[in-house]
Amino acid sequence: MKKTILLFTMLLFKVSYSQTNVDQLLELGIENAQRFSTDYFAPAGELLVNSMSNGWYKTAEVKKLWRFEVGFIGNLSFVREEKQSFILNTAEYEGLEFSEGPSSQLVANAFGGNRGDISVVLDQGQLGQVEITLPDGIGGKEVNIAPTGFFQGSMGISRSTEIKARFLPKIAVRENTEVFLYGLAIQHELTDWIFSWKRLPFRFSGLIGYTNVRGFYDFTADSQIDGADQEIRLKSNSWLVSGIISTKLPKFNFYGGFGYYAGNSKADILGTYEIQRGPLASQTVKDPISVNNKASGLKATIGANVKLGFFRANLDYTLQNYQNLSIGLNFGW
């Protein structure tokens, strides 16, 4: 049985939704539902931190004082097969077992898809058993590519220093669903420090960037369980510290970067829920699930950019936990 619950898709700018029942998970009990949700949502949180740390630069050269440019950055993050599932070991849950098969099985997370229905049974002793079917991933199938995008601008503020800002205004990606993004970064060109370095055939700079994403989904009207103020709120932040190197040709240049990213994503299922079965039968629970995922690691980027008058474009590829392709289209002076 499939019902609507927003998982992570509102932050990937799709209108496909994972179709599982919030009340079905809660029928397993709060602790079981919390543990399952943590593993189920983990790759989505990791991918968001990875993706939002990309797209901050396209050259090591910083803009001269008050020069600026604005444009749009698009990211495509790639989900490997091993990131589409996780091992569910019923020994780590309370009173839970699979309907069929061994006690430890590979099941779909938010990016995966189960091969046929996989059910688990909660044994309540004299109160009987509760059986539910585990959910597939977003849209009920495997997700291999996750897109994100935002507006971004930059401006020179002093000798060798440039500030950057990214922004996505609060928009409704579907009814009762909103997403909002903002970020700031500063880049400083180190090859300006010493006069002799200016004669080198390349530039070198350093960058620190921060991105914050907020998402909201009110599913009270779509819920199949009685209650009030049923919603999902997601908060994510991502930091990047990176060195950047680029060539210094007039129109077409190559660039690369090596850095460290870190951040976390938190998803809260809020509101009240009147549970009908399981250990919480006939009870009303409030704000039942909170999932917090952290991610960090090294990343390496290589790309190229072109400048034609006021128009600039760049394309780069980043090696990281979730590999990423970025494209930028900008106008500037």
Side-chain angles (χ1 to χ4, degrees):
M1 182 167 50
K2 297 184 174 182
K3 308 298 179 182
T4 301
I5 173 177
L6 178 68
L7 296 176
F8 182 64
T9 331
M10 62 183 180
L11 302 173
L12 304 181
F13 306 103
K14 296 180 180 180
V15 293
S16 58
Y17 283 77
S18 181
Q19 306 291 313
T20 184
N21 236 343
V22 174
D23 57 335
Q24 280 191 307
L25 292 180
L26 294 177
E27 287 170 359
L28 299 178
I30 295 296
E31 292 184 3
N32 285 340
Q34 173 71 43
R35 181 168 187 84
F36 178 84
S37 298
T38 298
D39 290 336
Y40 184 81
F41 282 92
E46 291 176 356
L47 183 142
L48 184 58
V49 172
N50 277 242
S51 178
M52 291 297 100
S53 64
N54 290 310
W56 274 121
Y57 57 85
K58 61 182 180 295
T59 178
E61 181 183 11
V62 302
K63 292 176 176 52
K64 298 185 184 300
L65 183 63
W66 309 132
R67 296 289 181 90
F68 69 94
E69 68 178 31
V70 294
F72 182 80
I73 307 296
N75 289 320
L76 288 178
S77 295
F78 302 96
V79 183
R80 304 188 306 276
E81 183 177 353
E82 61 266 29
K83 292 292 187 178
Q84 296 173 344
S85 59
F86 69 96
I87 296 177
L88 193 158
N89 184 357
T90 56
E92 298 174 349
Y93 291 74
E94 184 176 351
L96 200 67
E97 61 182 20
F98 284 102
S99 299
E100 299 179 354
S103 61
S104 183
Q105 297 186 33
L106 203 63
V107 301
N109 60 31
F111 289 142
N114 292 315
R115 296 181 179 179
D117 290 341
I118 299 179
S119 299
V120 292
V121 176
L122 178 67
D123 188 353
Q124 301 182 92
Q126 295 181 350
L127 297 178
Q129 296 180 334
V130 175
E131 181 176 358
I132 74 164
T133 300
L134 296 180
D136 288 321
I138 295 170
K141 58 183 180 181
E142 295 179 352
V143 174
N144 298 306
I145 299 177
T148 54
F150 41 82
F151 299 100
Q152 186 163 297
S154 57
M155 183 175 65
I157 59 170
S158 68
R159 181 176 178 272
S160 308
T161 303
E162 173 182 317
I163 59 170
K164 305 170 187 283
R166 56 179 47 168
F167 181 68
L168 186 70
K170 186 179 291 186
I171 59 174
V173 293
R174 62 162 285 174
E175 186 178 1
N176 301 323
T177 305
E178 295 179 342
V179 62
F180 170 71
L181 177 152
Y182 69 88
L184 294 171
I186 185 167
Q187 181 175 336
H188 184 78
E189 187 172 341
L190 303 176
T191 39
D192 280 346
W193 286 10
I194 300 176
F195 179 77
S196 61
W197 289 3
K198 296 181 179 181
R199 300 180 181 180
L200 296 173
F202 57 84
R203 304 177 191 272
F204 182 74
S205 64
L207 177 141
I208 299 176
Y210 170 79
T211 305
N212 185 283
V213 182
R214 302 289 180 94
F216 166 80
Y217 173 48
D218 183 345
F219 61 94
T220 304
D222 299 327
S223 178
Q224 300 299 310
I225 181 173
D226 292 335
D229 301 323
Q230 297 173 353
E231 62 187 37
I232 295 177
R233 290 190 178 271
L234 191 144
K235 301 177 182 178
S236 178
N237 65 79
S238 181
W239 286 92
L240 173 67
V241 179
S242 181
I244 310 163
I245 189 170
S246 67
T247 56
K248 49 194 308 186
L249 301 174
K251 300 294 182 181
F252 182 82
N253 285 278
F254 294 98
Y255 63 94
F258 185 79
Y260 178 82
Y261 69 91
N264 73 285
S265 292
K266 182 180 181 183
D268 294 319
I269 298 179
L270 306 175
T272 59
Y273 302 82
E274 298 176 11
I275 312 302
Q276 302 303 313
R277 300 191 305 164
L280 300 174
S282 302
Q283 296 185 36
T284 298
V285 297
K286 183 177 181 180
D287 303 343
I289 298 175
S290 180
V291 178
N292 194 355
N293 292 298
K294 295 183 179 180
S296 62
L298 299 175
K299 63 193 308 177
T301 299
I302 186 169
N305 67 69
V306 63
K307 179 168 59 175
L308 299 173
F310 297 136
F311 175 75
R312 289 124 165 93
N314 69 285
L315 180 70
D316 63 50
Y317 192 82
T318 299
L319 298 175
Q320 56 185 17
N321 191 12
Y322 290 84
Q323 298 183 24
N324 187 89
L325 181 70
S326 289
I327 183 171
L329 301 174
N330 299 276
F331 293 89
W333 292 264

